[in-house]
Amino acid sequence: MEITFKDVSYTYQPNTPFSHQALTNMNLTIRDQEFVAVVGHTGSGKSTLLQHINGLLIPSSGEVQIGSFVLSKGQKKQDLKKLREKVGVVFQYPEHQLFEETVERDIRFAMENFHIPKEDIQPRIMEALAQVNLEEEVLAKSPFELSGGQMRRVAIAGVLAMKPEVLILDEPTAGLDPQGQQAIMDLFYRIHKERGTTTILVTHQMADALAYADRIIVLAKGSMLMEGTPEQVFANPDLLAEANLDMPEVLTLLNHFEERFGIHIAYQRQSAHDLAKEMIEKLRET
Amino acid sequence: MVAIEFRDVYFRYNEDTPWVLKNFNLKIESKETVAILGHNGSGKSTIAKLANGLLMPQAGEIFIDDRKITPTNVWEIRQKIGMVFQNPENQFVGTTVRDDVAFGLENRAIAREEMLRRIQESLQQVGMEAYENHEPHHLSGGQKQRVAIASVMAIHPQVLLLDEATAMLDPRGKKEILATVLSLKEQLAITTVMITHDLQEISIADRVIVMNKGAIFKDTTTDKLFNSHQELQSIGLTIPLSVQLAIELEQYGYPFSTYPLKQEELIETLWKSHLKM
């Protein structure tokens, strides 16, 4: 689904002393099946932006279009449930939202709420479980008996079982160990490719933005500071520093290398093995 | 002096679940800075909870500052070992930063004059003195954790124990906490234990203990840790990029006496070898 923000501004608690403008004149198009990373320092407006995509927030001014849904202030109330069926959100620490007695009932909950036909529910549970790499045995367990990493997978399975066309991921790997982080990101990337979901990843990990995104959007103080392919965005270290963001480790390393040896190596998602090989080849040429 | 000692400790959460720690032995000397590393479920957080008497072992003994933890002296022990946990949101009780630091002191019936002095002192130690009257929930994640550290430091503990204290912070917050811990180490030479799975954090430790399946897998100095990189990878630990590259570069005849945790070190070592070739 294509998503368009047209001159969107959002103010929390307007006309009160606590009034705070979190988004200012945001213009943005996310193409169907695109993988977009949204980065920005805490307080830059990332979460506010996300919450417009599934109708949790309605713009104070301007308009958000998601597929055929149009969200704008003063528009007559529409069925947001239909929108939310198509837009799956994995919130931060989604395991905090588990509440049912068994894993199965937790995964089932959203589907029942959205009136998915009864005969479809069981196959969808099994499919989602396989996608997040959990064994069938966990279905009968209480989610609270599971490890943190497993609980997160259960919460994600609940979102995937809805078969959303848009996946919104709000720091989905926060708090996991490095192996767990890698596994979760690989999982989302696979689903993005296999299902052709439009995927929006909010992250503090520049390495993930670099590795997975087609395009990166940099927010600062509620506005778009920069946007472009990872190559374009990370070619602007000064602007990133202004937004209080770091460069991905691999790029700073290649920059150090270039400063020392005067040799440029373009990063094209090479492994450490291939990078080392390229470094040596170029060193031997000099 | 020994700050923390685990002697033949056994612990499990339930009688029908496997041992989390089995015949576990560990000694941390006073003034050491130790990182305890391991993936989720390796037993590292259990160590923290046993060390301050939140959990009691089924068998074995635990000593803090040479005193054995028993159900009767656990309050006294907690004075010696200050803990900072993962979630900054869960550690606040006061309505201002100052009240929050005061809370632990009031509980210990510290006299008012002394209390005011200690609040000042500990907020200065973490660089948060300008926020004394701020409301905790308006602070950034890194600032909240610094206040949590100040609350602990105000008790004058012998040991500061951070249990994944940076896991929920953004990159800037993580840097703030590392800088704070480093400065406490330099100012006060306090025994510091950092439980973590973040490889950046081990750079400020002198000693690294790697946990796997409830046992010590490696106990070594920070600069020697990655000499056993293959074993570390075999238990699912991620190797930092600079170390990965150094390992690869060695194959081409560029030697590394220690594997570099910092990129600058990697490039400098490579540069020196290159000049000799």
Side-chain angles (χ1 to χ4, degrees), chain A residues 41-42 93 175-179 204 244 246 249-250 252-253 256 260-261 272-273 276-277 280 283-284, chain B residues 39-40 167-168 170-172 175 197 236 238 241 244-245 248-249 252 254 263-264 266-268 270-271 274:
Chain A
H41 193 255
T42 308
Y93 298 95
L176 297 180
D177 64 20
Q179 230 185 358
H204 282 300
N244 265 312
D246 296 323
E249 203 189 0
V250 61
T252 56
L253 198 144
H256 279 136
R260 201 43 155 150
F261 294 93
H273 178 82
K277 198 172 151 200
I280 296 298
L283 279 177
R284 285 181 182 161
Chain B
H39 50 75
N40 292 349
M168 292 176 85
D170 61 20
R172 187 156 67 159
K175 277 187 206 151
H197 45 60
T238 310
L241 179 68
Q244 284 181 36
L245 275 172
E248 295 289 341
L249 289 166
Y252 295 97
Y254 288 86
Q263 299 184 351
E264 292 84 350
L266 172 85
I267 301 295
E268 284 317 302
L270 188 62
W271 174 248
H274 183 66

Side-chain angles (χ1 to χ4, degrees), chain B residues 149-168:
Chain B
I149 294 174
S151 303
V152 162
M153 293 307 294
I155 309 301
H156 292 174
Q158 264 84 44
V159 181
L160 174 64
L161 202 161
L162 303 135
D163 188 3
E164 295 195 28
T166 66
M168 292 176 85

Side-chain angles (χ1 to χ4, degrees), chain A residues 254 257-265 279 282-283 286:
Chain A
L254 290 176
F257 184 79
E258 184 166 356
E259 276 166 28
R260 201 43 155 150
F261 294 93
I263 297 172
H264 177 72
I265 292 178
M279 284 177 169
K282 295 209 164 150
L283 279 177
T286 56

Side-chain angles (χ1 to χ4, degrees), chain B residues 228-256:
Chain B
S228 34
H229 56 88
Q230 278 157 335
E231 289 169 84
L232 296 175
Q233 274 171 314
S234 75
I235 62 161
L237 285 180
T238 310
I239 307 296
L241 179 68
S242 54
V243 177
Q244 284 181 36
L245 275 172
I247 294 164
E248 295 289 341
L249 289 166
E250 270 188 338
Q251 313 283 325
Y252 295 97
Y254 288 86
F256 286 87

Side-chain angles (χ1 to χ4, degrees), chain B residues 21 24-25 69 83 97 127 136 149 163 192 203-205 226 246 272:
Chain B
L21 295 178
F24 183 76
N25 285 284
I69 306 182
M83 305 258 291
V97 166
I149 294 174
D163 188 3
T192 307
S203 62
I204 63 169
F226 291 107
K272 280 180 197 145

